[in-house]
C-alpha cells in the first residue's frame, strides 16, 4: 500500500525514505501571508511547487541524511518603484534542506556547515516552508527590467509624473516648492 503524503502535515522521514515526490499548483490565496503582501492585486495568481525526498548515505551512520529538494515558481504582483506601475515579479526558489533529529543537533551542526538545516517532524508543514521561502524571495525594491515608459509618455499624464517624482524623492519635491515660493513676482 502506498502511503499518502500530505503537504500540510508531512511525515518527512517516511517521505524521504520512500524517495517520494509531491507537487502542487495552488492559488496564491492559499498562502495567507503572501496574499496579504499582494494587496489584492491579481488574486488569481498561482504558485507552482515540487518537492522531492532524497536519502543520502553517510559513512558510519546507518540512518544517513534526510534531504528535501524544494522548487517553487511563482509570479508575484508588486508596484514598480521606478514607474509606480504594476509589475509581476517572477519568483523562483530552488533549495535543498537537510532534516536533523532535533533543535540541539541543528544548532551544533549549524556552526560547521553551510547546509540549510530543519528539524525533523512527522507533521511538517510544507506550505509554511514554501510561503516562508517565497516571502524571502520578494525583492525589496521591485522594478520592471524595463519600465513601459513609452506608454506612460504617450498618455501625457503630468500629474502622474509629478506624483511619481514626489514619492521617489520627497526632499526634491519640497525643494521645488520652496523655489516656487521665492520666485520674483511680476
Ligand atoms: Zn516600472
Amino acid at each position: 500500500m502506498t502511503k499518502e503524503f500530505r503537504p500540510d502535515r508531512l511525515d518527512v522521514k517516511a517521505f524521504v525514505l520512500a524517495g517520494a515526490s509531491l507537487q502542487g499548483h495552488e492559488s496564491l490565496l492559499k498562502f495567507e501571508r503572501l496574499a496579504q503582501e499582494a494587496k489584492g492585486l491579481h488574486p488569481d495568481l498561482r504558485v507552482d511547487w515540487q518537492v522531492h525526498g532524497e536519502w543520502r548515505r553517510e559513512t558510519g551512520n546507518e540512518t544517513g541524511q534526510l534531504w528535501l529538494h524544494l522548487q517553487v515558481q511563482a509570479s508575484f504582483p508588486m508596484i514598480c518603484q521606478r514607474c509606480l506601475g504594476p509589475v509581476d515579479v517572477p519568483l523562483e526558489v530552488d533549495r535543498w534542506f537537510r532534516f536533523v533529529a532535533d533543535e540541539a543537533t541543528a544548532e551544533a551542526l549549524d556552526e560547521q556547515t553551510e547546509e540549510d538545516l530543519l528539524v525533523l517532524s512527522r507533521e511538517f508543514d510544507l506550505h509554511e516552508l514554501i510561503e516562508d521561502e517565497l516571502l524571502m524571495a520578494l525583492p525589496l525594491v521591485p522594478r520592471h527590467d524595463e519600465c513601459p515608459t513609452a506608454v506612460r509618455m504617450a498618455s501625457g499624464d503630468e500629474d502622474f509624473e509629478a506624483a511619481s517624482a514626489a514619492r521617489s524623492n520627497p526632499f526634491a519635491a519640497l525643494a521645488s516648492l520652496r523655489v516656487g515660493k521665492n520666485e520674483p513676482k511680476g
Side-chain angles (χ1 to χ4, degrees):
M1 194 180 99
T2 35
K3 190 177 158 96
E4 280 280 335
F5 292 110
R6 299 184 42 171
D8 53 343
R9 281 166 51 190
L10 188 65
D11 183 340
V12 177
K13 189 171 182 181
F15 183 79
V16 170
L17 293 181
S21 298
L22 273 176
Q23 55 180 303
H25 307 281
E26 287 166 319
S27 161
L28 196 65
L29 295 175
K30 276 193 84 176
F31 301 86
E32 252 175 60
R33 288 173 295 155
L34 261 179
Q36 257 174 26
E37 287 290 317
K39 300 175 180 75
L41 299 160
H42 300 253
D44 53 338
L45 281 184
R46 303 192 87 70
V47 174
D48 295 330
W49 58 266
Q50 304 91 48
V51 69
H52 171 70
E54 187 177 294
W55 183 77
R56 296 185 192 170
R57 191 179 299 278
E58 199 179 25
T59 2
N61 180 355
E62 278 175 24
T63 53
Q65 294 180 355
L66 305 170
W67 287 84
L68 278 188
H69 185 201
L70 175 68
Q71 290 168 293
V72 190
Q73 297 87 34
S75 89
F76 192 79
M78 299 184 89
I79 297 297
C80 170
Q81 295 303 294
R82 194 156 44 199
C83 72
L84 301 184
V87 52
D88 285 339
V89 180
L91 300 180
E92 186 144 355
V93 176
D94 189 335
R95 277 179 91 173
W96 284 90
F97 298 92
R98 180 182 164 193
F99 282 80
V100 296
D102 49 44
E103 201 67 50
T105 312
E107 272 175 35
L109 277 173
D110 197 39
E111 310 221 323
Q112 336 160 359
T113 177
E114 296 285 298
E115 295 163 358
D116 291 310
L117 302 167
L118 291 173
V119 175
L120 197 57
S121 159
R122 297 189 69 142
E123 297 199 339
F124 183 75
D125 191 344
L126 198 56
H127 264 118
E128 201 173 302
L129 180 66
I130 292 168
E131 188 167 37
D132 285 346
E133 289 299 314
L134 286 176
L135 283 167
M136 277 192 282
L138 292 180
L140 287 176
V141 184
R143 271 194 289 231
H144 289 107
D145 286 340
E146 272 181 55
C147 292
T149 43
V151 176
R152 201 181 67 197
M153 284 164 77
S155 79
D157 188 343
E158 283 173 30
D159 290 343
F160 182 86
E161 292 274 348
S164 153
R167 241 172 283 181
S168 61
N169 188 344
F171 300 109
L174 277 178
S176 72
L177 280 176
R178 230 172 270 144
V179 167
K181 272 185 198 158
N182 294 340
E183 260 169 32
K185 284 165 197 154

